Amino acid sequence: MRTVADFYQDCLAAVGQQPPLEVQLADAVSCVLAEDVEAPFDLPVADLAACDGYAVRSEDLVGARPKEEVELPVTEEIRAGDVNPAALVPGSAIRIASGAPMPAGSDSVIALDFTDRGLAKVRVRTQPAIGENIRRRAEDVERGEVVLRKGTRVGARQVALLAGVGRSRVLVHPRPRIVILSIGDEIVEPGSKARPGTVFDANGHALSTAVADAGAQTFRVAAVPDEPHLLRETIEDQLVRADLVLTTGGISYGSGDTVREVLSVLGTVRFDNVAAWPGHILGVGTVGGDEDGKNGIPIFCLPGDPVSAQVCFEVFVRPALRHMQGWTQLTRPSVKAAVDRAWYSPRGRREFVRVRLVGDPRNGYQAKVMGAPASLLLSALAESNALAVVPEATTNVRVGDMLQCLVLE
């Protein structure tokens, strides 16, 4: 029997980081940078006005106050984008737009709110400090400075910086393409008429959502029946667009469970009893590729029970997906919380119990167990926001015991 830690490492070892790919900014969102990004120029490229107003010399406005305004002639107007602004003549003002280059000879900008907004002449009712309302050259970044480090996730703020330094394309680890297969004769699509012996495909939809939440692209395939030829054909057809295949169901020891049989001739997939609950039978390996398993597509095989599938995804698959994308932090954040009830935990297995966390860092956290721990209830899973982890050596959990909890949301 494999330990949870060993199988976790097997999952990480089965996947590699996505090869770096240069993409447009829009396609880089949610991806992780595969390069250090350097600024090719100073930002700002020159001293700029930080607001609409008047470029002035501070010494020309000594003594200006609301009841003793100082009047200056306005000699020019500078707009954002002007390349060669006129120089400021001592004793005068130049009307200037926010983002416009500062004229030579000026040392501050008076905001419009402290003036009468005159065009030919302007009356000013305050004396500015030297440098007031000026964005200095290279105040943001200097030429050659690394503005974003390799391993940074690209979001809206990072896109703003990339665009600001003139980058239209960037090198990232692209989002992996994950093909999801639900396997079983009994599985039907939600929206179909409920009939005895059928089960709606909760796994396909839930895992698609979980994969997307982990930052990957999802391709959900219609449920495949337990028919070896059809299952093999479906898997082979999907390899052309998959960076990883994720199956659910069909891995038990029943006569109708065909995944082991099919994968035995498609690749090198190892099925293990893992010391975990729920979801103690799991598979990991590759399909396609060379005869020795090289250059194959990674495949993870999860249980068919929806609660087991979701728990195993969080514990084993999600970290692997983040590893593929270049993340350094692979697992969910965790906190310790006091449980609200007692229960028996299976000896020798690491148990993941659905709980709802309440509390805060100062006063501590409490974990309310959702449903009976041994019962795999979808309703309890939907109400939970964390997984309480019971160590393998613990069999009797008591009220108030502090357990480490993986925070799901």
Side-chain angles (χ1 to χ4, degrees):
M1 181 178 291
R2 304 283 286 172
T3 67
V4 169
D6 285 344
F7 193 78
Y8 174 89
Q9 291 300 324
D10 290 346
C11 292
L12 294 186
V15 300
Q17 287 188 353
Q18 292 287 88
L21 179 68
E22 189 177 65
V23 299
Q24 295 182 343
L25 285 188
D27 296 324
V29 175
S30 295
C31 295
V32 173
L33 285 176
E35 64 168 327
D36 289 338
V37 177
E38 295 185 0
F41 47 76
D42 292 335
L43 189 67
V45 296
D47 290 350
L48 305 178
C51 65
D52 293 334
Y54 297 85
V56 296
R57 295 193 315 162
S58 178
E59 63 185 83
D60 289 337
L61 294 172
V62 173
R65 55 182 59 90
K67 293 186 178 180
E68 295 184 25
E69 296 178 333
V70 173
E71 185 177 84
L72 296 174
V74 178
T75 60
E76 297 281 347
E77 180 175 1
I78 303 174
R79 300 178 180 179
D82 285 351
V83 177
N84 296 308
L88 179 70
V89 176
S92 67
I94 292 179
R95 192 175 177 97
I96 193 167
S98 177
M102 292 294 297
S106 63
D107 61 17
S108 57
V109 174
I110 287 286
L112 292 176
D113 292 343
F114 298 98
T115 73
D116 66 351
R117 307 192 180 208
L119 298 179
K121 297 180 180 180
V122 61
R123 299 184 65 84
V124 182
R125 52 180 178 271
T126 187
Q127 180 183 0
I130 294 176
E132 186 171 330
N133 294 324
I134 295 177
R135 295 181 58 208
R136 294 297 185 188
R137 177 174 182 166
E139 175 182 277
D140 200 338
V141 296
E142 294 183 0
R143 179 181 179 180
E145 178 184 349
V146 176
V147 295
L148 288 174
R149 294 285 180 185
K150 178 181 179 179
T152 301
R153 178 181 179 273
V154 179
R157 299 182 302 278
Q158 290 73 33
V159 167
L161 179 54
L162 289 167
V165 298
R167 292 292 293 269
S168 63
R169 303 178 68 85
V170 67
L171 201 64
V172 300
H173 296 289
R175 298 196 301 155
R177 301 163 298 173
I178 313 302
V179 170
I180 298 174
L181 294 172
S182 298
I183 300 167
D185 293 333
E186 73 281 10
I187 299 173
V188 296
E189 188 68 15
S192 305
K193 185 177 181 179
R195 302 189 309 273
T198 62
V199 175
F200 292 116
D201 186 15
N203 281 347
H205 290 277
L207 290 173
S208 294
T209 304
V211 165
D213 180 66
Q217 298 182 67
T218 299
F219 299 94
R220 188 179 74 87
V221 180
V224 184
D226 292 307
E227 201 286 306
H229 176 75
L230 182 57
L231 177 57
R232 176 174 178 171
E233 187 178 77
T234 301
I235 292 175
E236 290 178 326
D237 287 346
Q238 294 301 318
L239 295 182
V240 68
R241 66 172 178 177
D243 295 310
L244 183 144
V245 176
L246 183 60
T247 72
T248 173
I251 61 174
S252 296
Y253 295 99
S255 59
D257 295 312
T258 58
V259 174
R260 295 168 185 264
E261 174 188 346
V262 170
L263 293 182
S264 67
V265 296
L266 285 184
T268 57
V269 182
R270 172 176 169 171
F271 290 90
D272 286 298
N273 288 330
V274 181
W277 177 258
H280 61 284
I281 302 176
L282 298 163
V284 62
T286 60
V287 289
D290 306 333
E291 291 184 2
D292 57 1
K294 293 182 179 180
N295 302 316
I297 301 298
I299 185 168
F300 294 165
C301 303
L302 302 183
D305 175 80
V307 175
S308 298
Q310 284 291 296
V311 170
C312 291
F313 177 89
E314 287 295 335
V315 176
F316 301 113
V317 182
R318 189 175 190 274
L321 295 184
R322 288 172 67 86
H323 176 61
M324 293 177 75
Q325 296 172 80
W327 289 91
T328 53
Q329 178 60 44
L330 304 182
T331 59
R332 295 276 195 181
S334 65
V335 297
K336 280 195 170 182
V339 296
D340 69 338
R341 73 170 77 171
W343 72 88
Y344 173 80
S345 185
R347 182 180 298 275
R349 294 186 181 278
R350 189 177 301 183
E351 185 180 22
F352 299 89
V353 178
R354 284 68 61 203
V355 299
R356 183 157 196 85
L357 289 178
V358 294
D360 56 67
R362 175 175 295 182
N363 300 307
Y365 294 94
Q366 298 77 46
K368 181 180 180 181
V369 178
M370 309 309 295
S375 300
L376 303 181
L377 307 176
L378 279 175
S379 57
L381 178 66
E383 293 176 344
S384 64
N385 61 6
L387 297 174
V389 183
V390 184
E392 290 87 340
T394 301
T395 54
N396 292 299
V397 181
R398 299 165 298 181
V399 176
D401 280 356
M402 300 294 292
L403 295 179
Q404 204 73 34
C405 298
L406 295 176
V407 181
L408 302 180
E409 59 181 53

